[in-house]
PDB file of all heavy atoms in Angstrom:
ATOM      1  N   MET E   2       5.107   5.829  12.763  1.00  0.00           N
ATOM      2  CA  MET E   2       6.174   5.170  12.269  1.00  0.00           C
ATOM      3  C   MET E   2       7.457   5.966  12.412  1.00  0.00           C
ATOM      4  O   MET E   2       7.501   7.285  11.991  1.00  0.00           O
ATOM      5  CB  MET E   2       6.044   4.845  10.815  1.00  0.00           C
ATOM      6  CG  MET E   2       7.253   3.991  10.204  1.00  0.00           C
ATOM      7  SD  MET E   2       6.992   3.591   8.421  1.00  0.00           S
ATOM      8  CE  MET E   2       5.943   2.319   8.618  1.00  0.00           C
ATOM      9  N   ASP E   3       8.564   5.468  12.906  1.00  0.00           N
ATOM     10  CA  ASP E   3       9.847   6.116  13.003  1.00  0.00           C
ATOM     11  C   ASP E   3      10.704   5.635  11.777  1.00  0.00           C
ATOM     12  O   ASP E   3      11.058   4.394  11.712  1.00  0.00           O
ATOM     13  CB  ASP E   3      10.556   5.655  14.222  1.00  0.00           C
ATOM     14  CG  ASP E   3      11.804   6.304  14.372  1.00  0.00           C
ATOM     15  OD1 ASP E   3      12.671   6.269  13.551  1.00  0.00           O
ATOM     16  OD2 ASP E   3      12.163   7.018  15.394  1.00  0.00           O
ATOM     17  N   ILE E   4      10.887   6.452  10.792  1.00  0.00           N
ATOM     18  CA  ILE E   4      11.438   6.082   9.439  1.00  0.00           C
ATOM     19  C   ILE E   4      12.962   5.570   9.761  1.00  0.00           C
ATOM     20  O   ILE E   4      13.301   4.651   9.093  1.00  0.00           O
ATOM     21  CB  ILE E   4      11.477   7.267   8.472  1.00  0.00           C
ATOM     22  CG1 ILE E   4      10.014   7.582   8.100  1.00  0.00           C
ATOM     23  CG2 ILE E   4      12.290   6.982   7.156  1.00  0.00           C
ATOM     24  CD1 ILE E   4       9.296   6.470   7.340  1.00  0.00           C
ATOM     25  N   ASP E   5      13.596   6.164  10.536  1.00  0.00           N
ATOM     26  CA  ASP E   5      14.830   5.633  10.868  1.00  0.00           C
ATOM     27  C   ASP E   5      15.055   4.270  11.385  1.00  0.00           C
ATOM     28  O   ASP E   5      15.807   3.315  10.882  1.00  0.00           O
ATOM     29  CB  ASP E   5      15.760   6.565  11.818  1.00  0.00           C
ATOM     30  CG  ASP E   5      16.529   7.669  11.261  1.00  0.00           C
ATOM     31  OD1 ASP E   5      16.427   7.988  10.094  1.00  0.00           O
ATOM     32  OD2 ASP E   5      17.296   8.222  12.012  1.00  0.00           O
ATOM     33  N   GLU E   6      14.030   3.980  12.238  1.00  0.00           N
ATOM     34  CA  GLU E   6      13.957   2.529  12.843  1.00  0.00           C
ATOM     35  C   GLU E   6      13.700   1.551  11.603  1.00  0.00           C
ATOM     36  O   GLU E   6      14.136   0.503  11.526  1.00  0.00           O
ATOM     37  CB  GLU E   6      12.976   2.468  13.943  1.00  0.00           C
ATOM     38  CG  GLU E   6      13.518   3.103  15.254  1.00  0.00           C
ATOM     39  CD  GLU E   6      12.456   3.020  16.373  1.00  0.00           C
ATOM     40  OE1 GLU E   6      11.451   2.349  16.104  1.00  0.00           O
ATOM     41  OE2 GLU E   6      12.745   3.481  17.420  1.00  0.00           O
ATOM     42  N   ALA E   7      12.622   2.053  10.887  1.00  0.00           N
ATOM     43  CA  ALA E   7      12.208   1.152   9.787  1.00  0.00           C
ATOM     44  C   ALA E   7      13.246   0.908   8.724  1.00  0.00           C
ATOM     45  O   ALA E   7      13.490  -0.231   8.204  1.00  0.00           O
ATOM     46  CB  ALA E   7      11.040   1.812   9.103  1.00  0.00           C
ATOM     47  N   ILE E   8      14.144   1.933   8.432  1.00  0.00           N
ATOM     48  CA  ILE E   8      15.207   1.788   7.522  1.00  0.00           C
ATOM     49  C   ILE E   8      16.250   0.804   8.116  1.00  0.00           C
ATOM     50  O   ILE E   8      16.768  -0.092   7.452  1.00  0.00           O
ATOM     51  CB  ILE E   8      15.860   3.152   7.129  1.00  0.00           C
ATOM     52  CG1 ILE E   8      14.933   3.975   6.345  1.00  0.00           C
ATOM     53  CG2 ILE E   8      17.233   2.955   6.385  1.00  0.00           C
ATOM     54  CD1 ILE E   8      15.357   5.481   6.109  1.00  0.00           C
ATOM     55  N   LEU E   9      16.695   1.072   9.337  1.00  0.00           N
ATOM     56  CA  LEU E   9      17.653   0.171   9.974  1.00  0.00           C
ATOM     57  C   LEU E   9      17.229  -1.299  10.043  1.00  0.00           C
ATOM     58  O   LEU E   9      17.972  -2.200   9.894  1.00  0.00           O
ATOM     59  CB  LEU E   9      17.948   0.570  11.373  1.00  0.00           C
ATOM     60  CG  LEU E   9      18.712   1.936  11.399  1.00  0.00           C
ATOM     61  CD1 LEU E   9      18.817   2.457  12.895  1.00  0.00           C
ATOM     62  CD2 LEU E   9      20.172   1.884  10.798  1.00  0.00           C
ATOM     63  N   ALA E  10      15.873  -1.541  10.197  1.00  0.00           N
ATOM     64  CA  ALA E  10      15.336  -2.865  10.179  1.00  0.00           C
ATOM     65  C   ALA E  10      15.007  -3.399   8.750  1.00  0.00           C
ATOM     66  O   ALA E  10      14.524  -4.552   8.548  1.00  0.00           O
ATOM     67  CB  ALA E  10      14.079  -2.827  11.005  1.00  0.00           C
ATOM     68  N   CYS E  11      15.278  -2.541   7.665  1.00  0.00           N
ATOM     69  CA  CYS E  11      14.952  -2.850   6.274  1.00  0.00           C
ATOM     70  C   CYS E  11      13.623  -3.283   6.015  1.00  0.00           C
ATOM     71  O   CYS E  11      13.240  -4.105   5.325  1.00  0.00           O
ATOM     72  CB  CYS E  11      15.908  -4.001   5.840  1.00  0.00           C
ATOM     73  SG  CYS E  11      17.531  -3.498   5.651  1.00  0.00           S
ATOM     74  N   HIS E  12      12.608  -2.443   6.733  1.00  0.00           N
ATOM     75  CA  HIS E  12      11.210  -2.547   6.509  1.00  0.00           C
ATOM     76  C   HIS E  12      10.736  -1.593   5.411  1.00  0.00           C
ATOM     77  O   HIS E  12       9.941  -0.730   5.678  1.00  0.00           O
ATOM     78  CB  HIS E  12      10.416  -2.311   7.808  1.00  0.00           C
ATOM     79  CG  HIS E  12      10.623  -3.480   8.839  1.00  0.00           C
ATOM     80  ND1 HIS E  12      10.423  -3.217  10.226  1.00  0.00           N
ATOM     81  CD2 HIS E  12      11.117  -4.644   8.645  1.00  0.00           C
ATOM     82  CE1 HIS E  12      10.677  -4.322  10.849  1.00  0.00           C
ATOM     83  NE2 HIS E  12      11.279  -5.202  10.029  1.00  0.00           N
ATOM     84  N   PHE E  13      11.233  -1.769   4.207  1.00  0.00           N
ATOM     85  CA  PHE E  13      11.082  -0.817   3.126  1.00  0.00           C
ATOM     86  C   PHE E  13       9.505  -1.005   2.635  1.00  0.00           C
ATOM     87  O   PHE E  13       8.990  -0.026   2.106  1.00  0.00           O
ATOM     88  CB  PHE E  13      12.021  -0.949   1.974  1.00  0.00           C
ATOM     89  CG  PHE E  13      13.519  -0.399   2.419  1.00  0.00           C
ATOM     90  CD1 PHE E  13      14.330  -1.280   2.739  1.00  0.00           C
ATOM     91  CD2 PHE E  13      13.623   0.948   2.306  1.00  0.00           C
ATOM     92  CE1 PHE E  13      15.692  -0.970   3.213  1.00  0.00           C
ATOM     93  CE2 PHE E  13      14.957   1.330   2.635  1.00  0.00           C
ATOM     94  CZ  PHE E  13      15.909   0.515   3.081  1.00  0.00           C
ATOM     95  N   GLU E  14       9.048  -2.230   2.738  1.00  0.00           N
ATOM     96  CA  GLU E  14       7.695  -2.402   2.289  1.00  0.00           C
ATOM     97  C   GLU E  14       6.714  -1.494   3.132  1.00  0.00           C
ATOM     98  O   GLU E  14       5.777  -0.980   2.589  1.00  0.00           O
ATOM     99  CB  GLU E  14       7.214  -3.842   2.365  1.00  0.00           C
ATOM    100  CG  GLU E  14       8.086  -4.830   1.585  1.00  0.00           C
ATOM    101  CD  GLU E  14       9.292  -5.269   2.296  1.00  0.00           C
ATOM    102  OE1 GLU E  14       9.705  -4.713   3.280  1.00  0.00           O
ATOM    103  OE2 GLU E  14      10.011  -6.288   1.788  1.00  0.00           O
ATOM    104  N   ALA E  15       6.941  -1.366   4.410  1.00  0.00           N
ATOM    105  CA  ALA E  15       6.112  -0.509   5.230  1.00  0.00           C
ATOM    106  C   ALA E  15       6.303   0.738   4.971  1.00  0.00           C
ATOM    107  O   ALA E  15       5.311   1.532   5.070  1.00  0.00           O
ATOM    108  CB  ALA E  15       6.609  -0.925   6.922  1.00  0.00           C
ATOM    109  N   ILE E  16       7.648   1.212   4.655  1.00  0.00           N
ATOM    110  CA  ILE E  16       7.801   2.633   4.347  1.00  0.00           C
ATOM    111  C   ILE E  16       7.171   2.924   3.038  1.00  0.00           C
ATOM    112  O   ILE E  16       6.400   4.128   2.982  1.00  0.00           O
ATOM    113  CB  ILE E  16       9.367   2.838   4.111  1.00  0.00           C
ATOM    114  CG1 ILE E  16      10.034   2.694   5.492  1.00  0.00           C
ATOM    115  CG2 ILE E  16       9.522   4.304   3.611  1.00  0.00           C
ATOM    116  CD1 ILE E  16      11.519   2.631   5.499  1.00  0.00           C
ATOM    117  N   LEU E  17       7.181   2.233   2.023  1.00  0.00           N
ATOM    118  CA  LEU E  17       6.506   2.380   0.756  1.00  0.00           C
ATOM    119  C   LEU E  17       4.919   2.373   0.794  1.00  0.00           C
ATOM    120  O   LEU E  17       4.326   2.918   0.076  1.00  0.00           O
ATOM    121  CB  LEU E  17       7.079   1.518  -0.291  1.00  0.00           C
ATOM    122  CG  LEU E  17       8.446   1.559  -0.718  1.00  0.00           C
ATOM    123  CD1 LEU E  17       8.864   0.546  -1.642  1.00  0.00           C
ATOM    124  CD2 LEU E  17       8.731   2.933  -1.434  1.00  0.00           C
ATOM    125  N   ALA E  18       4.491   1.679   1.905  1.00  0.00           N
ATOM    126  CA  ALA E  18       3.078   1.564   2.089  1.00  0.00           C
ATOM    127  C   ALA E  18       2.492   3.005   2.413  1.00  0.00           C
ATOM    128  O   ALA E  18       1.231   3.254   2.309  1.00  0.00           O
ATOM    129  CB  ALA E  18       2.591   0.614   3.076  1.00  0.00           C
ATOM    130  N   LEU E  19       3.329   3.955   2.927  1.00  0.00           N
ATOM    131  CA  LEU E  19       2.875   5.302   3.277  1.00  0.00           C
ATOM    132  C   LEU E  19       2.855   6.103   2.030  1.00  0.00           C
ATOM    133  O   LEU E  19       2.252   7.275   2.266  1.00  0.00           O
ATOM    134  CB  LEU E  19       3.811   5.905   4.337  1.00  0.00           C
ATOM    135  CG  LEU E  19       3.966   5.191   5.712  1.00  0.00           C
ATOM    136  CD1 LEU E  19       5.085   5.901   6.399  1.00  0.00           C
ATOM    137  CD2 LEU E  19       2.686   5.242   6.394  1.00  0.00           C
ATOM    138  N   LEU E  20       3.355   5.765   0.982  1.00  0.00           N
ATOM    139  CA  LEU E  20       3.627   6.640  -0.004  1.00  0.00           C
ATOM    140  C   LEU E  20       2.263   7.228  -0.682  1.00  0.00           C
ATOM    141  O   LEU E  20       2.201   8.415  -1.066  1.00  0.00           O
ATOM    142  CB  LEU E  20       4.361   5.954  -1.282  1.00  0.00           C
ATOM    143  CG  LEU E  20       4.874   6.854  -2.367  1.00  0.00           C
ATOM    144  CD1 LEU E  20       5.891   7.926  -1.662  1.00  0.00           C
ATOM    145  CD2 LEU E  20       5.801   6.098  -3.398  1.00  0.00           C
ATOM    146  N   ASP E  21       1.225   6.325  -0.896  1.00  0.00           N
ATOM    147  CA  ASP E  21      -0.030   6.909  -1.470  1.00  0.00           C
ATOM    148  C   ASP E  21      -0.597   7.936  -0.553  1.00  0.00           C
ATOM    149  O   ASP E  21      -1.075   9.176  -1.130  1.00  0.00           O
ATOM    150  CB  ASP E  21      -1.015   5.810  -1.545  1.00  0.00           C
ATOM    151  CG  ASP E  21      -0.671   4.639  -2.573  1.00  0.00           C
ATOM    152  OD1 ASP E  21       0.173   5.071  -3.420  1.00  0.00           O
ATOM    153  OD2 ASP E  21      -1.161   3.533  -2.535  1.00  0.00           O
ATOM    154  N   GLY E  22      -0.659   7.757   0.732  1.00  0.00           N
ATOM    155  CA  GLY E  22      -1.255   8.836   1.565  1.00  0.00           C
ATOM    156  C   GLY E  22      -0.287  10.020   1.545  1.00  0.00           C
ATOM    157  O   GLY E  22      -0.794  11.223   1.603  1.00  0.00           O
ATOM    158  N   TYR E  23       1.035   9.869   1.613  1.00  0.00           N
ATOM    159  CA  TYR E  23       1.883  10.806   1.657  1.00  0.00           C
ATOM    160  C   TYR E  23       1.758  11.827   0.415  1.00  0.00           C
ATOM    161  O   TYR E  23       1.788  13.021   0.631  1.00  0.00           O
ATOM    162  CB  TYR E  23       3.265  10.375   1.723  1.00  0.00           C
ATOM    163  CG  TYR E  23       4.405  11.543   1.726  1.00  0.00           C
ATOM    164  CD1 TYR E  23       4.587  12.380   2.711  1.00  0.00           C
ATOM    165  CD2 TYR E  23       5.304  11.515   0.613  1.00  0.00           C
ATOM    166  CE1 TYR E  23       5.516  13.372   2.610  1.00  0.00           C
ATOM    167  CE2 TYR E  23       6.358  12.444   0.546  1.00  0.00           C
ATOM    168  CZ  TYR E  23       6.416  13.398   1.593  1.00  0.00           C
ATOM    169  OH  TYR E  23       7.288  14.398   1.534  1.00  0.00           O
ATOM    170  N   ALA E  24       1.623  11.304  -0.747  1.00  0.00           N
ATOM    171  CA  ALA E  24       1.499  12.146  -1.989  1.00  0.00           C
ATOM    172  C   ALA E  24       0.277  13.016  -1.814  1.00  0.00           C
ATOM    173  O   ALA E  24       0.298  14.241  -2.183  1.00  0.00           O
ATOM    174  CB  ALA E  24       1.447  11.154  -3.178  1.00  0.00           C
ATOM    175  N   ILE E  25      -0.824  12.487  -1.299  1.00  0.00           N
ATOM    176  CA  ILE E  25      -2.131  13.282  -1.212  1.00  0.00           C
ATOM    177  C   ILE E  25      -1.945  14.335  -0.097  1.00  0.00           C
ATOM    178  O   ILE E  25      -2.296  15.501  -0.262  1.00  0.00           O
ATOM    179  CB  ILE E  25      -3.407  12.321  -0.838  1.00  0.00           C
ATOM    180  CG1 ILE E  25      -3.542  11.378  -2.034  1.00  0.00           C
ATOM    181  CG2 ILE E  25      -4.593  13.136  -0.514  1.00  0.00           C
ATOM    182  CD1 ILE E  25      -4.609  10.290  -1.646  1.00  0.00           C
ATOM    183  N   TRP E  26      -1.175  13.870   0.950  1.00  0.00           N
ATOM    184  CA  TRP E  26      -0.957  14.837   2.128  1.00  0.00           C
ATOM    185  C   TRP E  26      -0.210  16.013   1.637  1.00  0.00           C
ATOM    186  O   TRP E  26      -0.437  17.118   1.999  1.00  0.00           O
ATOM    187  CB  TRP E  26      -0.147  13.886   3.129  1.00  0.00           C
ATOM    188  CG  TRP E  26       0.204  14.794   4.418  1.00  0.00           C
ATOM    189  CD1 TRP E  26      -0.786  15.063   5.390  1.00  0.00           C
ATOM    190  CD2 TRP E  26       1.459  15.075   4.970  1.00  0.00           C
ATOM    191  NE1 TRP E  26      -0.097  15.688   6.387  1.00  0.00           N
ATOM    192  CE2 TRP E  26       1.262  15.715   6.168  1.00  0.00           C
ATOM    193  CE3 TRP E  26       2.661  15.002   4.386  1.00  0.00           C
ATOM    194  CZ2 TRP E  26       2.261  16.196   6.929  1.00  0.00           C
ATOM    195  CZ3 TRP E  26       3.830  15.541   5.153  1.00  0.00           C
ATOM    196  CH2 TRP E  26       3.616  16.096   6.447  1.00  0.00           C
ATOM    197  N   LEU E  27       0.856  15.831   0.766  1.00  0.00           N
ATOM    198  CA  LEU E  27       1.660  16.881   0.192  1.00  0.00           C
ATOM    199  C   LEU E  27       0.820  17.909  -0.601  1.00  0.00           C
ATOM    200  O   LEU E  27       0.855  19.066  -0.498  1.00  0.00           O
ATOM    201  CB  LEU E  27       2.758  16.357  -0.685  1.00  0.00           C
ATOM    202  CG  LEU E  27       4.019  15.885   0.007  1.00  0.00           C
ATOM    203  CD1 LEU E  27       4.994  15.343  -1.025  1.00  0.00           C
ATOM    204  CD2 LEU E  27       4.757  16.998   0.727  1.00  0.00           C
ATOM    205  N   GLN E  28       0.074  17.262  -1.517  1.00  0.00           N
ATOM    206  CA  GLN E  28      -0.825  18.069  -2.489  1.00  0.00           C
ATOM    207  C   GLN E  28      -1.861  18.983  -1.653  1.00  0.00           C
ATOM    208  O   GLN E  28      -2.299  20.038  -2.174  1.00  0.00           O
ATOM    209  CB  GLN E  28      -1.477  17.199  -3.360  1.00  0.00           C
ATOM    210  CG  GLN E  28      -1.969  17.997  -4.653  1.00  0.00           C
ATOM    211  CD  GLN E  28      -0.806  18.559  -5.538  1.00  0.00           C
ATOM    212  OE1 GLN E  28       0.036  17.862  -5.813  1.00  0.00           O
ATOM    213  NE2 GLN E  28      -1.177  19.766  -5.792  1.00  0.00           N
ATOM    214  N   SER E  29      -2.323  18.309  -0.479  1.00  0.00           N
ATOM    215  CA  SER E  29      -3.417  18.986   0.266  1.00  0.00           C
ATOM    216  C   SER E  29      -2.875  20.131   1.189  1.00  0.00           C
ATOM    217  O   SER E  29      -3.719  20.577   2.089  1.00  0.00           O
ATOM    218  CB  SER E  29      -4.240  18.006   0.974  1.00  0.00           C
ATOM    219  OG  SER E  29      -3.589  17.404   2.043  1.00  0.00           O
ATOM    220  N   GLY E  30      -1.584  20.334   1.177  1.00  0.00           N
ATOM    221  CA  GLY E  30      -1.036  21.346   2.148  1.00  0.00           C
ATOM    222  C   GLY E  30      -0.941  20.596   3.482  1.00  0.00           C
ATOM    223  O   GLY E  30      -0.937  21.366   4.487  1.00  0.00           O
ATOM    224  N   ARG E  31      -0.475  19.447   3.499  1.00  0.00           N
ATOM    225  CA  ARG E  31      -0.393  18.643   4.763  1.00  0.00           C
ATOM    226  C   ARG E  31      -1.591  18.477   5.668  1.00  0.00           C
ATOM    227  O   ARG E  31      -1.498  18.699   6.855  1.00  0.00           O
ATOM    228  CB  ARG E  31       0.846  19.271   5.534  1.00  0.00           C
ATOM    229  CG  ARG E  31       2.217  18.781   4.964  1.00  0.00           C
ATOM    230  CD  ARG E  31       2.693  19.700   4.017  1.00  0.00           C
ATOM    231  NE  ARG E  31       4.107  19.587   3.892  1.00  0.00           N
ATOM    232  CZ  ARG E  31       4.793  20.304   2.803  1.00  0.00           C
ATOM    233  NH1 ARG E  31       4.105  21.035   1.995  1.00  0.00           N
ATOM    234  NH2 ARG E  31       6.058  20.118   2.763  1.00  0.00           N
ATOM    235  N   HIS E  32      -2.749  18.484   5.146  1.00  0.00           N
ATOM    236  CA  HIS E  32      -3.938  18.511   5.897  1.00  0.00           C
ATOM    237  C   HIS E  32      -4.503  17.070   6.027  1.00  0.00           C
ATOM    238  O   HIS E  32      -4.976  16.624   6.884  1.00  0.00           O
ATOM    239  CB  HIS E  32      -4.947  19.406   5.246  1.00  0.00           C
ATOM    240  CG  HIS E  32      -4.646  20.943   5.510  1.00  0.00           C
ATOM    241  ND1 HIS E  32      -5.427  21.824   4.750  1.00  0.00           N
ATOM    242  CD2 HIS E  32      -3.777  21.437   6.221  1.00  0.00           C
ATOM    243  CE1 HIS E  32      -4.876  23.004   5.268  1.00  0.00           C
ATOM    244  NE2 HIS E  32      -3.913  22.773   6.001  1.00  0.00           N
ATOM    245  N   ALA E  33      -4.560  16.422   4.801  1.00  0.00           N
ATOM    246  CA  ALA E  33      -5.284  15.062   4.820  1.00  0.00           C
ATOM    247  C   ALA E  33      -4.486  14.155   3.830  1.00  0.00           C
ATOM    248  O   ALA E  33      -3.858  14.475   2.863  1.00  0.00           O
ATOM    249  CB  ALA E  33      -6.603  15.222   4.254  1.00  0.00           C
ATOM    250  N   ASP E  34      -4.433  12.754   4.258  1.00  0.00           N
ATOM    251  CA  ASP E  34      -3.875  11.824   3.414  1.00  0.00           C
ATOM    252  C   ASP E  34      -4.938  10.907   2.583  1.00  0.00           C
ATOM    253  O   ASP E  34      -4.566   9.945   1.969  1.00  0.00           O
ATOM    254  CB  ASP E  34      -2.876  10.934   4.146  1.00  0.00           C
ATOM    255  CG  ASP E  34      -3.593   9.994   5.254  1.00  0.00           C
ATOM    256  OD1 ASP E  34      -4.888  10.358   5.411  1.00  0.00           O
ATOM    257  OD2 ASP E  34      -3.015   9.117   5.749  1.00  0.00           O
ATOM    258  N   ASN E  35      -6.229  11.364   2.744  1.00  0.00           N
ATOM    259  CA  ASN E  35      -7.347  10.687   1.758  1.00  0.00           C
ATOM    260  C   ASN E  35      -8.466  11.769   1.805  1.00  0.00           C
ATOM    261  O   ASN E  35      -8.206  12.791   2.354  1.00  0.00           O
ATOM    262  CB  ASN E  35      -7.694   9.364   2.320  1.00  0.00           C
ATOM    263  CG  ASN E  35      -8.289   9.426   3.641  1.00  0.00           C
ATOM    264  OD1 ASN E  35      -8.981  10.087   4.020  1.00  0.00           O
ATOM    265  ND2 ASN E  35      -7.628   8.472   4.687  1.00  0.00           N
ATOM    266  N   LEU E  36      -9.467  11.351   1.108  1.00  0.00           N
ATOM    267  CA  LEU E  36     -10.603  12.251   0.959  1.00  0.00           C
ATOM    268  C   LEU E  36     -11.359  12.657   2.248  1.00  0.00           C
ATOM    269  O   LEU E  36     -12.085  13.705   2.280  1.00  0.00           O
ATOM    270  CB  LEU E  36     -11.497  11.740  -0.093  1.00  0.00           C
ATOM    271  CG  LEU E  36     -10.815  11.681  -1.604  1.00  0.00           C
ATOM    272  CD1 LEU E  36     -11.941  11.010  -2.488  1.00  0.00           C
ATOM    273  CD2 LEU E  36     -10.236  12.951  -2.117  1.00  0.00           C
TER     274      LEU E  36
END
């Protein structure tokens, strides 16, 4: 996903759909976005 393109197209639902995996990805040291 290109975030700039998604923002310009106002696809905020698609952006927010990444949030669950992103939060896990951050906590895991950018290794995994689920178990």
